Amino acid sequence: MRVLIAEDDSALANFVKKGLEAEHYAVDISGDGEQARAMATEFDYDMIVLDLTLPRLDGIAVLRFLRTRKPSVPILVLTGRSRVEDRVQCLDLGADDYLAKPFSFTELSARIRALLRRSHMPAESTLAVEDLKLDRVERRVERAGRRIDLTAKEFALLEYLMRNSGRRVTRAMIIEHVWNLSFDTSTNVVDVYVNYLRRKVDDGFAARLIHTVRGVGYELSCHPPAASCTVPASNHGHPALAAR
């Protein structure tokens, strides 16, 4: 899951970034409103954490703009403004949640999970496609009851594919969400890690779940790309970019 933090306090932004990265989010930071608006327009974020007192373009203007261009992306306002009037204005303009500073990171993390659960890509603790199951909390993967050991990057890649089960995802989308980088056409890191996953997830099973979509990228599905199924079940060339 890729998150944009629009916050001009660099110490606070880096604190939140480290906390979210520890929970396996990919995180970008923007220090001013114009840059935040441009980044949110260019990239496909799953969540935006937005301060109101941003230089160059304030958070209210960013919020108004994003609600016309990205109406479905969850936006959590994180600000020092604690007046009821400010909260009401932001919620009326389309913010999904509002948290005043100072705040507890534990509460911020819980609010992000709650928003993601309600969005088009819910943050379930357990994902399942056919007999493949992934537990985000226990960091555990099983297929047909057999435990599969994955590295951190393999786990993140499989989680992204399972969250998008039945959908075709491009290499650029995977690079941005799993490696948090802009796509480099010279890299084969996505193909390398997909092959790692295939050996662990598909080898030895009659039904293959990870499919190549020629000219596009990949799709994790219980059928070849001509058909699709989505089963999110819940209980509530730079291989060195990621160490295995």
Side-chain angles (χ1 to χ4, degrees), residues 1-3 17 21 25-29 39 45 153 172-183:
M1 308 295 279
R2 194 174 191 191
V3 178
K17 175 181 169 72
E21 286 178 339
Y25 295 91
V27 183
D28 293 334
I29 294 176
M39 291 173 67
Y45 288 103
K153 195 58 66 176
M173 292 166 65
I174 294 171
I175 282 281
E176 288 177 4
H177 282 80
V178 179
W179 276 269
N180 196 27
L181 297 169
S182 297
F183 184 60

Coordinates of all heavy atoms in Angstrom, one line a residue, residues 1-3 17 21 25-29 39 45 153 172-183:
M1 N 0.9 -1.2 0.0 CA 0.0 0.0 0.0 C 0.9 1.2 0.0 O 1.8 1.3 0.8 CB -0.9 0.0 1.2 CG -1.7 -1.3 1.4 SD -2.9 -1.6 0.1 CE -4.2 -0.5 0.6
R2 N 0.6 2.2 -0.9 CA 1.5 3.4 -1.0 C 0.8 4.6 -0.4 O -0.4 4.9 -0.8 CB 1.8 3.6 -2.5 CG 2.9 4.6 -2.7 CD 3.3 4.7 -4.2 NE 4.5 5.5 -4.3 CZ 5.0 5.9 -5.5 NH1 4.3 5.7 -6.6 NH2 6.1 6.6 -5.5
V3 N 1.5 5.3 0.4 CA 0.9 6.4 1.2 C 1.7 7.7 0.9 O 3.0 7.7 0.8 CB 1.0 6.2 2.7 CG1 0.5 7.4 3.5 CG2 0.2 4.9 3.0
K17 N 6.7 8.5 8.6 CA 7.2 7.6 7.5 C 7.8 6.4 8.0 O 7.5 5.3 7.6 CB 8.2 8.4 6.6 CG 8.9 7.6 5.5 CD 9.9 8.5 4.8 CE 10.8 7.7 3.9 NZ 10.1 7.1 2.7
E21 N 6.5 2.6 7.4 CA 7.3 1.7 6.8 C 7.5 0.4 7.6 O 7.7 -0.7 7.1 CB 8.6 2.3 6.4 CG 8.5 3.3 5.2 CD 9.8 4.0 4.9 OE1 10.7 4.0 5.8 OE2 10.0 4.5 3.8
Y25 N 4.2 -0.3 4.7 CA 3.7 0.6 3.7 C 4.8 1.2 2.9 O 5.9 1.3 3.5 CB 2.9 1.8 4.4 CG 1.6 1.4 5.1 CD1 1.6 1.1 6.4 CD2 0.4 1.3 4.4 CE1 0.5 0.7 7.1 CE2 -0.8 1.0 5.1 CZ -0.7 0.6 6.4 OH -1.9 0.3 7.1
A26 N 4.6 1.5 1.7 CA 5.5 2.3 0.9 C 5.1 3.8 1.1 O 3.9 4.1 0.9 CB 5.5 2.0 -0.6
V27 N 6.1 4.7 1.5 CA 5.7 6.0 1.9 C 6.5 7.1 1.1 O 7.8 7.0 1.0 CB 6.0 6.2 3.4 CG1 5.5 7.6 3.8 CG2 5.2 5.2 4.2
D28 N 5.9 8.1 0.6 CA 6.5 9.3 0.0 C 6.2 10.5 0.9 O 5.1 10.5 1.5 CB 6.0 9.5 -1.4 CG 6.4 8.4 -2.4 OD1 7.4 7.8 -2.2 OD2 5.6 8.3 -3.4
I29 N 7.0 11.5 0.9 CA 6.8 12.7 1.6 C 6.9 13.9 0.7 O 7.7 14.0 -0.2 CB 7.9 12.9 2.7 CG1 7.8 11.8 3.8 CG2 7.8 14.3 3.3 CD1 8.9 11.8 4.8
M39 N 2.3 15.3 -7.0 CA 2.6 13.9 -6.7 C 1.3 13.1 -6.7 O 1.3 12.0 -7.2 CB 3.4 13.8 -5.4 CG 4.8 14.4 -5.5 SD 5.7 14.4 -3.9 CE 5.9 12.6 -3.6
Y45 N -1.8 6.7 -5.4 CA -1.7 6.4 -3.9 C -2.9 5.8 -3.4 O -4.0 6.0 -3.8 CB -1.4 7.8 -3.2 CG -0.1 8.3 -3.4 CD1 0.1 9.4 -4.3 CD2 1.1 7.8 -2.8 CE1 1.4 9.9 -4.5 CE2 2.3 8.3 -3.0 CZ 2.5 9.4 -3.9 OH 3.7 9.9 -4.1
K153 N 10.5 -8.8 0.8 CA 10.1 -8.2 -0.4 C 9.1 -9.2 -1.2 O 8.2 -8.7 -1.9 CB 11.3 -7.9 -1.3 CG 11.0 -7.0 -2.4 CD 10.4 -5.7 -2.0 CE 11.4 -4.8 -1.2 NZ 10.8 -3.5 -0.8
A172 N 5.2 -1.2 -13.8 CA 5.3 0.2 -13.2 C 4.5 0.3 -11.9 O 5.0 0.8 -10.9 CB 4.9 1.2 -14.2
M173 N 3.3 -0.3 -11.9 CA 2.5 -0.3 -10.7 C 3.1 -1.0 -9.6 O 3.2 -0.6 -8.4 CB 1.1 -0.8 -11.0 CG 0.2 0.0 -12.0 SD -1.2 -0.9 -12.6 CE -2.1 -1.2 -11.1
I174 N 3.7 -2.2 -9.9 CA 4.4 -3.0 -8.9 C 5.6 -2.3 -8.4 O 5.8 -2.3 -7.2 CB 4.7 -4.4 -9.5 CG1 3.5 -5.2 -9.9 CG2 5.6 -5.2 -8.5 CD1 3.8 -6.4 -10.7
I175 N 6.4 -1.7 -9.3 CA 7.6 -1.0 -8.8 C 7.2 0.1 -7.8 O 7.8 0.3 -6.8 CB 8.4 -0.4 -10.0 CG1 9.2 -1.5 -10.7 CG2 9.3 0.7 -9.6 CD1 10.5 -1.9 -10.0
E176 N 6.2 0.9 -8.2 CA 5.8 2.0 -7.4 C 5.2 1.6 -6.0 O 5.5 2.3 -5.0 CB 4.7 2.9 -8.1 CG 5.3 3.6 -9.3 CD 4.2 4.4 -10.1 OE1 3.0 4.4 -9.6 OE2 4.5 5.0 -11.1
H177 N 4.5 0.5 -6.0 CA 3.8 0.1 -4.7 C 4.7 -0.7 -3.9 O 4.7 -0.6 -2.6 CB 2.5 -0.6 -5.0 CG 1.4 0.4 -5.3 ND1 1.2 0.9 -6.6 CD2 0.4 0.9 -4.6 CE1 0.2 1.7 -6.6 NE2 -0.3 1.7 -5.4
V178 N 5.5 -1.6 -4.5 CA 6.3 -2.6 -3.7 C 7.7 -2.0 -3.4 O 8.2 -2.2 -2.3 CB 6.4 -3.9 -4.4 CG1 7.2 -4.9 -3.6 CG2 5.0 -4.5 -4.6
W179 N 8.3 -1.4 -4.4 CA 9.7 -0.8 -4.2 C 9.7 0.7 -3.9 O 10.7 1.3 -3.6 CB 10.5 -1.1 -5.4 CG 11.1 -2.5 -5.4 CD1 12.3 -2.8 -4.8 CD2 10.6 -3.7 -5.8 NE1 12.6 -4.2 -4.9 CE2 11.5 -4.8 -5.6 CE3 9.4 -4.0 -6.5 CZ2 11.2 -6.1 -5.9 CZ3 9.1 -5.3 -6.8 CH2 10.0 -6.4 -6.5
N180 N 8.5 1.3 -4.1 CA 8.4 2.8 -3.9 C 9.4 3.6 -4.7 O 10.0 4.5 -4.3 CB 8.6 3.1 -2.4 CG 8.1 4.5 -2.0 OD1 7.2 5.0 -2.7 ND2 8.6 5.1 -1.0
L181 N 9.5 3.2 -6.0 CA 10.4 3.8 -6.9 C 9.7 4.2 -8.2 O 8.6 3.6 -8.5 CB 11.6 2.9 -7.2 CG 12.5 2.5 -6.1 CD1 13.5 1.4 -6.6 CD2 13.3 3.8 -5.6
S182 N 10.2 5.1 -9.0 CA 9.7 5.3 -10.3 C 10.2 4.2 -11.2 O 11.3 3.6 -11.0 CB 10.2 6.7 -10.9 OG 9.7 7.7 -10.1
F183 N 9.4 3.8 -12.2 CA 9.7 2.7 -13.0 C 10.9 3.0 -13.9 O 11.0 4.0 -14.6 CB 8.5 2.3 -13.9 CG 8.7 1.1 -14.7 CD1 9.0 -0.1 -14.1 CD2 8.6 1.1 -16.1 CE1 9.2 -1.3 -14.8 CE2 8.8 0.0 -16.8 CZ 9.1 -1.2 -16.2

